[in-house]
Amino acid sequence: MVDFIWRAVVIGLAATAVIDLWALVLKRAFGIPPANWAMVGRWFGHLPRGTVVHADIAKAEPIANELALGWLCHYAVGILFAAATLVLAGPAWRLAPTPAWPLVVGLVTVGCGWFILQPGMGAGIAASRRPNAGQIRALNIVSHTIFGLAMFGVAWVVR
């Protein structure tokens, strides 16, 4: 169990850091703003209060330390997705990782953003209420593919 937790934490943290670096590249090279983790923290902060869906998360009541909470939840979710990959791929995968399961999990996690987070924050299903919905969707797919590939790479390194 300790080995499983250690791998989930290392793989999840590192793969999440890789997509954060990707976001910096997008910002510097193309002027695409990164995710606003304060708003994500605000959304997570409202969950214990029973509010899952907001008309516009920016207009919701602020949460103390919402930026820190957003970053913490971002990395915690990365660890959970890494743990899911380890479970789905099975115990042998940790010693001989292949890219299939991390890519599947990476792409399936796009659905978490499209069908849970974005509607919950008021952006609609798959950012349908945003004027640049197509761009957001494409960036989601690319970022989560990078996340999957990063999970594979890190798993290969720590095997």
Side-chain angles (χ1 to χ4, degrees):
M1 183 57 113
V2 170
D3 183 69
F4 174 85
I5 293 169
W6 175 83
R7 288 176 192 278
V9 169
V10 169
I11 293 168
L13 289 177
T16 303
V18 167
I19 62 169
D20 288 337
L21 291 173
W22 170 246
L24 288 175
V25 168
L26 290 174
K27 181 181 178 186
R28 291 194 179 152
F30 304 105
I32 297 171
N36 184 343
W37 296 112
M39 294 300 99
V40 174
R42 184 175 294 180
W43 181 77
F44 272 104
H46 279 272
L47 290 176
R49 300 175 180 185
T51 306
V52 177
V53 178
H54 298 265
D56 181 354
I57 195 66
K59 295 179 182 174
E61 179 185 342
I63 301 292
N65 302 308
E66 60 190 24
L67 178 59
L69 179 61
W71 279 103
L72 177 69
C73 289
H74 173 53
Y75 276 84
V77 167
I79 292 167
L80 289 174
F81 290 154
T85 302
L86 289 164
V87 168
L88 291 169
W93 184 84
R94 69 175 196 235
L95 300 175
T98 58
W101 276 112
L103 282 171
V104 166
V105 171
L107 289 171
V108 167
T109 62
V110 171
C112 294
W114 286 2
F115 302 112
I116 299 170
L117 184 62
Q118 290 169 3
M121 294 177 64
I125 292 174
S128 60
R129 293 186 184 149
R130 295 291 183 251
N132 60 337
Q135 178 189 37
I136 292 169
R137 292 172 190 150
L139 289 170
N140 293 156
I141 292 168
V142 170
S143 294
H144 285 248
T145 300
I146 290 169
F147 177 76
L149 290 171
M151 284 197 299
F152 163 66
V154 175
W156 190 84
V157 168
V158 299
R159 70 187 191 286

